[in-house]
Amino acid sequence: MEKQNTEGVSPKYFWIEFIGDRSVRIQEGQTILEAALEAGIPHYHACGGQGQCTTCRVRIHQGTTFISEFSKREVWLQKSIPFGPNVRLACQAYVSGGPVSLHRMIRDEADMMLYLDQSLQEDLQNTGHERELALFFLDIRNFTPFMERYLPFDVIHVVRRLFALFRRCIEKYHGQIIETAGDGFYAVFGFEADVRQAANQAFAAAQSILSELKDFNHNYAEKHFFHHFQVGVGLHAGKVIVGNIGIGVNNNLTVMGLPVNVASRIQAATKTLNNSLVTSEQFYQLLEPKPSGKQVESELKGLTEIYSLRLCGEPFTG
């Protein structure tokens, strides 16, 4: 005889098939994760099933209409993690009928491919195509002392403000951020323009960031956090390979090639050259009108060639 709840009504049970494992019984009001663990399936849940990670993800193969609506936590995660509508967090999803079949996504290294939505899997076969683009690298200077001084949530708050500023300036001039890493990012210009126009857009975005950062420091950072932020920007242009090959962001968009490495090294050289905005000579010659910029010859870390560079920014302070 089925166990009754406190209202005297027998609970409802359904069956869900874990593809590659077995079918298990799930009670109404029980999460998929709870049912799996109860049945002895070694379902990963690094955060303890609290919706604080994605290791319990499952791909629904059949019966999506019988799965509960996305929780607030899942909706939030979808804004930053590109998984499709048939991928759910087992700790957040409930079943209301059947048949339902699903697949645990984290089982072994081979199953990592299932992180990608099926509509994106064809993109993994693409080797990309060649494009001539303007390349933009930015790094926040001396960020570690700020992190040491303030609490983590203070740091996150300020980082969000800064990156909102950066992104606004990049997108204003039709650029696209490809990757963010720690206290810096990498963007490209030229998907909808020729390389000369792209270079001018990238340079305008850099000037806009430097200008808005001064206002941000004066009106916000210095008043509330007693800190003055500075950035170093490196600009270059060249032919690169563009493709959706599954190792980047923005729907796996990746831009690769030697010019990318050069742009990154130019940004790193802003420290030794003590200038907030440094471009390659190749990039500089694309600009109209030509800005003032002292020409220097410099070695770039990891590259054998000596590069001609232009110092188009200002010396760092402090």
Side-chain angles (χ1 to χ4, degrees):
M1 183 175 181
E2 297 287 2
K3 182 180 178 180
Q4 294 186 331
N5 61 25
T6 55
E7 297 180 351
V9 180
S10 297
K12 292 182 179 179
Y13 290 90
F14 312 101
W15 286 92
I16 54 177
E17 178 191 2
F18 281 81
I19 299 172
D21 291 301
R22 60 184 177 276
S23 294
V24 304
R25 194 173 72 159
I26 182 171
Q27 181 178 325
E28 187 176 34
Q30 188 177 35
T31 67
I32 292 174
L33 176 63
E34 289 171 339
L37 295 175
E38 187 175 285
I41 293 177
H43 201 135
Y44 294 165
H45 53 295
C47 72
Q50 303 300 312
Q52 300 296 317
C53 72
T54 65
T55 58
C56 72
R57 265 188 276 182
V58 294
R59 180 183 297 281
I60 310 299
H61 288 268
Q62 182 184 19
T64 54
T65 57
F66 299 116
I67 307 297
S68 59
E69 294 184 359
F70 284 88
S71 68
K72 292 182 179 179
R73 186 64 184 172
E74 289 176 300
V75 171
W76 181 83
L77 285 170
Q78 281 189 319
K79 294 178 181 179
S80 58
I81 301 175
F83 54 82
N86 61 334
V87 175
R88 301 297 302 271
L89 294 186
C91 71
Q92 302 288 300
Y94 301 84
V95 175
S96 62
V100 172
S101 62
L102 47 82
H103 185 97
R104 286 188 294 132
M105 294 180 68
I106 297 185
R107 295 163 59 92
D108 51 43
E109 292 182 357
D111 283 337
M112 290 299 288
M113 289 297 293
L114 293 174
Y115 269 115
L116 298 174
D117 181 66
Q118 288 179 338
S119 64
L120 297 179
Q121 288 185 13
E122 292 181 359
D123 290 332
L124 296 178
Q125 307 303 319
N126 296 338
T127 56
H129 57 280
E130 191 175 60
R131 293 286 298 269
E132 193 169 13
L133 300 175
L135 310 166
F136 184 117
F137 276 79
L138 178 147
D139 183 71
I140 303 173
R141 289 288 170 266
N142 299 322
F143 193 68
T144 301
F146 177 77
M147 294 179 64
E148 292 176 336
R149 189 181 310 155
Y150 288 95
L151 296 171
F153 282 103
D154 290 329
V155 174
I156 291 173
H157 171 72
V158 173
V159 167
R160 284 176 173 169
R161 288 287 300 263
L162 284 170
F163 273 79
L165 183 159
F166 300 153
R167 181 175 181 177
R168 182 171 65 250
C169 293
I170 293 295
E171 294 182 349
K172 176 182 178 180
Y173 291 98
H174 310 290
Q176 182 172 338
I177 295 178
I178 301 299
E179 291 184 2
T180 60
D183 49 8
F185 70 86
Y186 158 37
V188 298
F189 295 75
F191 285 128
E192 299 178 359
D194 61 35
V195 68
R196 185 173 298 275
Q197 182 180 355
N200 282 274
Q201 291 171 336
F203 192 80
Q207 289 182 309
S208 179
I209 286 176
L210 293 172
S211 176
E212 289 202 24
L213 187 59
K214 289 182 179 180
D215 292 337
F216 176 82
N217 281 324
H218 178 71
N219 297 316
Y220 190 80
E222 292 172 355
K223 286 184 177 181
H224 300 296
F225 293 94
F226 312 102
H227 192 85
H228 180 86
F229 289 97
Q230 300 180 89
V231 298
V233 178
L235 300 174
H236 185 48
K239 292 183 178 180
V240 294
I241 301 299
V242 179
N244 291 66
I245 59 178
I247 58 174
V249 294
N250 291 324
N251 293 326
N252 302 300
L253 179 66
T254 302
V255 180
M256 301 179 69
L258 178 60
V260 176
N261 295 63
V262 173
S264 175
R265 298 300 190 270
I266 292 174
Q267 183 281 124
T270 60
K271 300 176 183 178
T272 56
L273 295 173
N274 190 32
N275 197 276
S276 60
L277 176 54
V278 179
T279 80
S280 65
E281 181 66 21
Q282 177 182 339
F283 181 97
Y284 181 83
Q285 291 304 321
L286 295 171
L287 299 178
E288 293 292 344
K290 296 287 188 296
S292 59
K294 179 182 178 182
Q295 187 174 21
V296 298
E297 302 294 317
S298 177
E299 293 183 352
L300 298 178
K301 185 178 180 180
L303 300 174
T304 57
E305 182 181 343
I306 301 297
Y307 281 83
S308 179
L309 306 176
R310 293 279 183 164
L311 309 185
C312 299
E314 299 177 353
F316 295 113
T317 59

